[in-house]
Amino acid sequence: MADSVDRRAALALGGLGVGALASAPLWAKGMGAQAMGAQPTIDLGLSEGTGQRPLTDAFPGKKGMILQRSRAPLLETPMAAFDGALQDDPVTPNYRFFVRWHYADIPLSVDAAAFRLRIGGAVKRAVSLSLAEIQAMPQVTVTAVNQCSGNSRGLFGPRVPGAQWGNGAMGNARWTGVRLRDLIARAGTAPGVVQVKCAGLDQPPGDAPHFAKSLALDHAEDDDVIVAYGMNGAALPLLNGFPLRLIVPGWYSTYWVKALDSIELLTGPDTGFWMAKAYQIPETEDAGVKPGATGFPTVPISRMPPRAFFTRTTPQEARGIAMGGDAGVAKVEVSLDGGAQWQQAQLGPDHGPYSFRRWAMPLTGLARGPHELAVRTTNTRGEGQKPAPIWNPGGYMRSSIETARVVVA
Ligand SMILES: Nc1nc2c(c(=O)[nH]1)N[C@H]1C(S)=C(S)[C@@H](COP(=O)(O)O)O[C@H]1N2
Ligand SMILES: [Mo]
């Protein structure tokens, strides 16, 4: 759901043309052993091995991030960053927004004045647009959760290879930009276009395949699919894709191509590695298979299912955030007895179908001793969450019911 022009965002974005420059390699900044040693750590409570990870301030525009890997950067958001009272804005600040790149050769600086977005392939006329030209087009803002397909992978049991994320490979932001549809219209579609392929400035090592993702043409032309230059009223941080990124509300962020500089219209399906081989999930109802299974049919990952999380639990109150996936949050329920009985939680303001929504549950009259809490959400299409976690070899799409423990003294 795209709102009309957001004045505040438009004002703050006035300085975009100046450009965001990083002077030194990201992983070279303050990453010496001494600096690292001084950093506190956080325990992600992973299924196997140590969940201890250092917190880092060493990346430009980022503070207090969980360091999963320096090169290519994998920075996770601590759950505490999502916490807030019911009425608090449920967006994740840019400086704490998670970061994920596949390849180490990422843009360390981008000259905003020289930057061009190229639109080609099966078009009527190939175009090359400057940021100023794109910012002069009709502006839309959408609030949407960006969640890695492998968010929570480190909680999979048995363990699967890949980034051992806790629950913080996600974030919610107000994205401001232009509709992908309007950009496509500048070039015009030649007959027979079926997909729209998007790629960015990051480069693969050797002859590895360039990172690129494709959407069906009708999806690419949805109202809500935008090419953003703004994030929470500021230019995109370099690590989150400055100067432009694709926003695909309701879909996993593997499609949210960062540092987007190429849009190519295709007359056949994208058979490249990143669409045809990577990011495949089992073709089962819940994307789960028996642990260890191989050789099952797969499909590319796409839409997100609903999820709810605890951000803070005290003997007086449990609270957190929920997302409906590719639909709004209809309700959030909390269980105080390990999932036997459920009560409706209070909901914070609705920021649209793709946003986090805050929830809270006062805990009054709890008996002394430990209590096993659980939280689940149901989206506006009636889709809920299951208690049992799924398993698949990619560690994708975890969305089972989360639990927390509170001890009343
Ligand atoms: N150009 C480019 N875009 C990309 C990627 C990438 O490696 N290169 N990774 C994708 C994946 S898998 C994720 S999870 C998100 C992460 O977005 P963020 O770093 O802004 O949080 O970016 C997506 N877009
Ligand atoms: Mo991802």
Side-chain angles (χ1 to χ4, degrees):
M1 180 201 281
D3 314 339
S4 52
V5 177
D6 181 327
R7 255 171 217 289
R8 206 184 31 168
L11 288 178
L13 289 166
L16 182 61
V18 177
L21 300 174
S23 53
L26 306 170
W27 39 85
K29 287 196 172 183
M31 291 291 289
Q34 216 182 348
M36 291 300 308
Q39 298 290 336
T41 63
I42 203 163
D43 190 350
L44 295 174
L46 306 182
S47 66
E48 290 178 34
T50 177
Q52 289 287 341
R53 297 285 185 280
L55 289 170
T56 178
D57 295 341
F59 292 77
K62 300 288 167 184
K63 269 207 166 63
M65 300 299 291
I66 299 165
L67 181 65
Q68 289 277 14
R69 185 180 69 190
S70 306
R71 194 165 194 263
L74 293 181
L75 307 177
E76 177 166 344
T77 303
M79 285 309 284
F82 302 123
D83 186 48
L86 269 192
Q87 299 299 323
D88 289 348
D89 195 351
V91 303
T92 313
N94 291 1
Y95 75 95
R96 298 205 96 176
F97 207 97
F98 89 101
V99 174
R100 193 267 192 271
W101 292 88
H102 288 88
Y103 295 137
D105 187 355
I106 62 176
L108 300 177
S109 70
V110 176
D111 179 348
F115 177 87
R116 294 290 181 279
L117 171 65
R118 290 169 291 111
I119 309 175
V123 294
K124 294 212 175 95
R125 51 195 170 270
V127 293
S128 166
L129 299 171
S130 69
L131 289 175
E133 287 173 298
I134 293 169
Q135 285 193 270
M137 292 169 63
Q139 187 185 82
V140 290
T141 293
V142 58
T143 306
V145 173
N146 172 18
Q147 180 182 216
C148 181
S149 314
N151 190 25
S152 321
R153 182 186 288 120
L155 307 175
F156 269 57
R159 182 188 189 276
V160 293
Q164 298 298 296
W165 298 113
N167 285 335
M170 61 175 184
N172 186 40
R174 255 174 224 112
W175 310 96
T176 298
V178 298
R179 292 203 168 95
L180 178 55
R181 181 173 74 209
D182 292 347
L183 288 168
I184 293 171
R186 293 290 282 257
T189 49
V193 171
V194 293
Q195 286 192 355
V196 178
K197 181 175 180 177
C198 295
L201 294 169
D202 45 330
Q203 295 299 322
D207 46 2
H210 199 121
F211 183 79
K213 299 294 289 193
S214 296
L215 297 177
L217 179 64
D218 62 342
H219 187 189
E221 295 195 322
D222 265 6
D223 278 358
D224 299 329
V225 174
I226 70 173
V227 170
Y229 42 77
M231 179 174 174
N232 295 328
L236 291 165
L238 198 51
L239 286 168
N240 299 106
F242 181 88
L244 295 176
R245 86 173 299 172
L246 190 64
I247 304 300
V248 190
W251 279 38
Y252 280 105
S253 57
T254 178
Y255 293 93
W256 298 38
V257 175
K258 299 194 283 187
L260 173 73
D261 73 334
S262 161
I263 296 174
E264 187 189 349
L265 306 197
L266 306 178
T267 53
D270 181 351
T271 55
F273 173 82
W274 293 103
M275 285 300 293
K277 296 275 193 298
Y279 289 101
Q280 302 293 309
I281 55 166
E283 199 179 9
T284 56
E285 187 238 323
D286 62 353
V289 288
K290 244 182 77 174
T294 54
F296 44 82
T298 63
V299 289
I301 199 166
S302 59
R303 54 174 294 272
M304 299 188 289
R307 299 188 76 176
F309 302 90
F310 291 94
T311 58
R312 198 175 75 145
T313 309
T314 67
Q316 290 76 41
E317 187 196 47
R319 67 188 196 185
I321 48 170
M323 55 183 279
D326 65 345
V329 169
K331 65 175 176 186
V332 172
E333 296 163 295
V334 174
S335 170
L336 308 179
D337 56 7
Q341 299 169 80
W342 297 88
Q343 309 171 35
Q344 286 221 20
Q346 298 168 268
L347 293 181
D350 184 357
H351 292 268
Y354 307 114
S355 172
F356 281 153
R357 189 148 183 193
R358 295 197 182 278
W359 63 266
M361 171 67 77
L363 302 177
T364 43
L366 279 188
R368 272 195 188 181
H371 298 267
E372 303 302 327
L373 273 49
V375 64
R376 70 181 186 192
T377 186
T378 304
N379 71 20
T380 52
R381 284 207 317 260
E383 186 184 4
Q385 296 181 258
K386 293 184 181 141
I390 58 160
W391 190 92
N392 56 54
Y396 296 138
M397 285 184 79
R398 184 181 167 99
S399 62
S400 49
I401 292 172
E402 301 288 331
T403 58
R405 187 164 218 258
V406 66
V407 181
V408 179

